[in-house]
Amino acid sequence: MSKYEPTIGMEIHVELATKSKMFCGCKNGMGLEKEPNKNICPVCTGQPGATPVPNKQAIDFVVQAGLALGCQITEESKFDRKNYFYPDLPKGYQISQYDLPICRDGELKISVRKDGEARGDNRAKTYEKTVRIHRIHLEEDTAKSSHGHGGESLVDFNRSSVPLMELVTEADITSAKEAKKFSEELQLIFRYIGISPADMEKGQMRCEANISLHKEDEDILSGTKVELKNINSFRAIEKGIKYEIERQTEMLDNGEKIVQETRGWDENKGETFSQRTKENADDYRYFPDPDLQPFSLPKDYQQEMMNKLPELPKERRLRFQKEYDLLPENIETLVTNKDLGNYFEEVASELAEWLSVEKIEVEDKKKVYRLANSYLITNLAKMMSDADNDNFPPQADQPMAGKITAENFAELIKMIYAGEINSSAAQTILEEMFETGGDPSHIAEEKDLGQVSDTGELEVVVDKILADNQSAVDDFKAGKENALKFLMGQVMSATKGKANPPMVMEMLKEKMK
């Protein structure tokens, strides 16, 4: 075990999906416009005399994020000027927030898999961790520089003044795995409340980690902090922090001094690299922006924003467990992929009506829901992913399950549960449904895939198989279990896979007693 312990704090920047930019009326394309400098005006390009006007929707989004994370909302807030020079910041300052951020003092509870435990193991092999949220504030994004154009550098102002939410944690995280899980859960919450797609690869969510090491008997903040900047994937968060912990440990073991600096992550080399040293905190000379008035966020407004919050991921996990009794790892799949979870609920709603009419017992209801979940997240989800790997999960304006309606998918599950078709036939039918959107019962009839469950019909086949395979019958009576599997296979072959397996198995055993 290492004699050093890590202390990690996270800073998360999220571009907000408002209709317009933060301080002007330009369309908010989140800097992803194909044409450079398309959605710009004097305000977002920092022209002299241009006056900013705050975006209420952006403020609403930050308040909702804060409420979802249990934050205290500041009733009187304001915008400040953060002064520094950079080529993509033509004003020479960024409009941000300093001493009166919109949100303070929240927390996020995460469930983290213990070291050595594989995905799919039960919840007993995880531990709960609470990460405190220090503050969440609102600011404007900068423009975007690009270099190497024949020795010239170019600036695209499409991203300039895009609403940018910054979340800062307390130094509560103690491992790379916790940092990754925290970031993943945050992204999920932001997507659930609809404030941002928070796609890291597109720069809509940018993560930074402040990492230091201390000895067990020392203060957790006694180590020298190294900032790991602009990480663009969850995988890189975990790998980058893990590498940095190992790098700092080796330096301390060798008697070297950790330098306070900003470092980047090189995905190709799998290592961090120095970007700039940082002896003291930057002095940004914050002061209240004279062009923007302070604003109020009264209690009645906060309640209005609270009422607009949808069901959050942690609430959905609990409800799925209570209503459907699914396995934890399956619940996580449905919660993480919100659209897949919504489709499952549509299917479950169709099944619930049938279960009520048929007066099926509670335990059997759980089996039906688990059956539906299994076919959804293994068979159907794989078909969707294979059909279009670049577009899975589908976007909001696309059908979740291709051409398969929730009603037809529920009908397929009923047929499987009732023993009308076996698993092989179900797979064939599902593939046909995915291609054509057809009704499962019609497909089963057209392809003659119905399961044979007629006792008289099966008995004729079983008697013939037993008569033609006396040696296998003798082997079974001698205690060789493989003989039963052989006979079972013969029956299934004779019926072209349509025989009801449990009925055949029972019939074979009875006739060979």
Side-chain angles (χ1 to χ4, degrees):
M1 177 180 285
S2 173
K3 58 184 176 182
Y4 304 106
E5 296 183 356
T7 296
I8 303 166
M10 300 290 292
E11 297 177 16
I12 313 288
H13 290 83
V14 179
E15 292 182 341
L16 301 177
T18 55
K19 294 179 181 179
S20 58
K21 291 185 179 182
M22 185 63 232
F23 295 111
C24 65
C26 291
K27 181 180 177 181
N28 178 15
M30 303 181 83
L32 298 176
E33 297 90 341
K34 293 182 180 179
E35 180 184 338
N37 296 310
K38 179 180 180 181
N39 297 320
I40 62 173
C41 70
V43 174
C44 57
T45 55
Q47 302 300 312
T51 305
V53 177
N55 186 328
K56 181 181 182 300
Q57 187 181 35
I59 295 172
D60 290 349
F61 280 177
V62 174
V63 171
Q64 287 181 299
L67 292 171
L69 293 166
C71 292
Q72 297 296 315
I73 307 301
T74 304
E75 291 196 45
E76 297 293 331
S77 189
K78 63 181 174 66
F79 287 106
D80 301 281
R81 290 187 179 182
K82 178 181 179 181
N83 297 275
Y84 65 99
F85 172 78
Y86 211 70
D88 56 17
L89 193 69
K91 295 193 298 285
Y93 63 85
Q94 179 188 34
I95 302 177
S96 182
Q97 292 189 288
Y98 180 52
D99 56 330
L100 292 175
I102 293 174
C103 312
R104 288 184 183 275
D105 303 327
E107 66 176 31
L108 177 59
K109 295 183 187 299
I110 55 175
S111 180
V112 187
R113 190 177 299 106
K114 295 179 181 178
D115 288 337
E117 303 299 343
R119 186 177 297 277
D121 287 338
N122 60 45
R123 283 288 186 192
K125 296 179 180 178
T126 63
Y127 65 91
E128 298 297 317
K129 178 68 178 271
T130 298
V131 179
R132 291 171 298 160
I133 310 297
H134 175 64
R135 62 183 280 156
I136 308 175
H137 66 261
L138 181 58
E139 58 191 22
E140 60 179 340
D141 210 343
T142 62
K144 185 161 51 179
S145 299
S146 59
H147 310 286
H149 301 275
E152 297 181 344
S153 293
L154 305 178
V155 180
D156 180 3
F157 285 94
N158 281 327
R159 196 179 71 180
S160 179
S161 198
V162 166
L164 192 65
M165 179 178 74
E166 181 175 358
L167 181 150
V168 182
T169 76
E170 301 290 357
D172 292 336
I173 299 170
T174 57
S175 73
K177 186 179 291 186
E178 289 178 2
K180 178 186 178 185
K181 183 62 180 178
F182 172 79
S183 302
E184 288 176 333
E185 189 69 8
L186 268 187
Q187 183 195 62
L188 198 58
I189 290 172
F190 298 152
R191 288 178 170 179
Y192 265 63
I193 61 180
I195 65 173
S196 176
D199 190 323
M200 291 191 69
E201 291 185 357
K202 295 179 179 178
Q204 296 163 343
M205 178 170 166
R206 309 194 284 271
C207 298
E208 300 168 5
N210 295 304
I211 308 153
S212 64
L213 299 185
H214 65 280
K215 290 184 177 180
E216 187 176 354
D217 58 348
E218 294 178 339
D219 185 272
I220 64 170
L221 298 179
S222 61
T224 301
K225 180 179 69 175
V226 173
E227 185 178 24
L228 193 56
K229 293 278 283 187
N230 293 329
I231 312 168
N232 64 0
S233 73
F234 295 125
R235 180 171 174 268
I237 289 173
E238 185 171 24
K239 290 179 67 178
I241 293 175
K242 186 176 180 181
Y243 177 88
E244 191 57 29
I245 291 172
E246 292 172 352
R247 185 188 72 86
Q248 292 185 33
T249 298
E250 184 177 350
M251 290 182 66
L252 292 172
D253 284 342
N254 293 334
E256 299 177 57
K257 182 181 178 181
I258 304 297
V259 177
Q260 183 175 340
E261 62 179 336
T262 297
R263 297 180 71 85
W265 171 249
D266 189 318
E267 181 65 38
N268 294 325
K269 294 182 179 180
E271 60 186 40
T272 64
F273 61 93
S274 180
Q275 292 182 318
R276 61 179 183 272
T277 57
K278 202 172 182 181
E279 288 300 329
N280 299 298
D282 292 324
D283 180 10
Y284 292 115
R285 295 184 296 111
Y286 283 98
F287 63 85
D289 193 305
D291 291 332
L292 295 163
Q293 293 295 310
F295 55 96
S296 299
L297 304 170
K299 293 295 184 183
D300 57 345
Y301 162 79
Q302 295 180 34
Q303 187 60 50
E304 179 188 347
M305 292 298 102
M306 177 69 83
N307 293 340
K308 290 183 177 181
L309 286 180
E311 181 182 50
L312 297 174
K314 63 180 180 180
E315 297 163 352
R316 195 174 217 192
R317 290 186 184 99
L318 293 172
R319 184 171 61 79
F320 273 24
Q321 175 59 42
K322 181 179 180 181
E323 291 185 15
Y324 308 118
D325 194 34
L326 304 176
L327 296 175
E329 59 267 27
N330 291 345
I331 290 176
E332 196 60 28
T333 298
L334 296 177
V335 172
T336 302
N337 187 336
K338 185 181 177 184
D339 290 334
L340 198 65
N342 290 344
Y343 183 77
F344 171 76
E345 292 223 76
E346 292 176 22
V347 172
S349 178
E350 296 286 343
L351 290 170
E353 185 176 345
W354 171 70
L355 292 168
S356 177
V357 171
E358 296 294 325
K359 297 182 179 179
I360 294 176
E361 297 295 327
V362 172
E363 286 304 314
D364 288 328
K365 287 181 180 179
K366 294 177 181 179
K367 291 178 183 178
V368 173
Y369 288 134
R370 286 190 175 188
L371 181 66
N373 176 256
S374 176
Y375 270 85
L376 177 59
I377 67 175
T378 55
N379 301 77
L380 183 55
K382 185 177 185 303
M383 288 180 195
M384 289 187 286
S385 180
D386 290 345
D388 192 350
N389 282 308
D390 295 330
N391 197 32
F392 181 79
Q395 302 303 311
D397 60 345
Q398 297 171 320
M400 181 63 221
K403 298 177 181 178
I404 304 177
T405 66
E407 182 181 6
N408 279 343
F409 190 84
E411 181 65 28
L412 177 67
I413 299 303
K414 296 175 197 175
M415 293 168 66
I416 299 168
Y417 181 76
E420 296 174 17
I421 53 175
N422 58 30
S423 58
S424 176
Q427 179 69 18
T428 301
I429 293 169
L430 187 60
E431 290 172 356
E432 180 72 16
M433 291 169 66
F434 187 72
E435 291 295 326
T436 67
D439 180 278
S441 57
H442 292 162
I443 295 172
E445 185 177 350
E446 290 171 1
K447 293 183 176 291
D448 193 21
L449 295 172
Q451 187 161 265
V452 178
S453 298
D454 180 83
T455 305
E457 188 176 346
L458 286 177
E459 193 166 13
V460 172
V461 178
V462 169
D463 286 344
K464 185 176 187 309
I465 294 299
L466 292 176
D468 292 345
N469 296 277
Q470 187 58 48
S471 60
V473 175
D474 293 339
D475 286 344
F476 175 75
K477 290 180 178 180
K480 297 179 179 179
E481 287 295 323
N482 282 339
L484 181 60
K485 295 180 181 178
F486 169 76
L487 292 167
M488 180 73 180
Q490 294 299 302
V491 175
M492 296 306 291
S493 178
T495 60
K496 297 181 180 179
K498 292 163 59 179
N500 186 316
M503 290 183 66
V504 171
M505 185 70 73
E506 190 63 31
M507 197 174 289
L508 285 169
K509 289 179 180 179
E510 283 294 321
K511 287 182 176 290
M512 289 190 293
K513 278 184 179 180

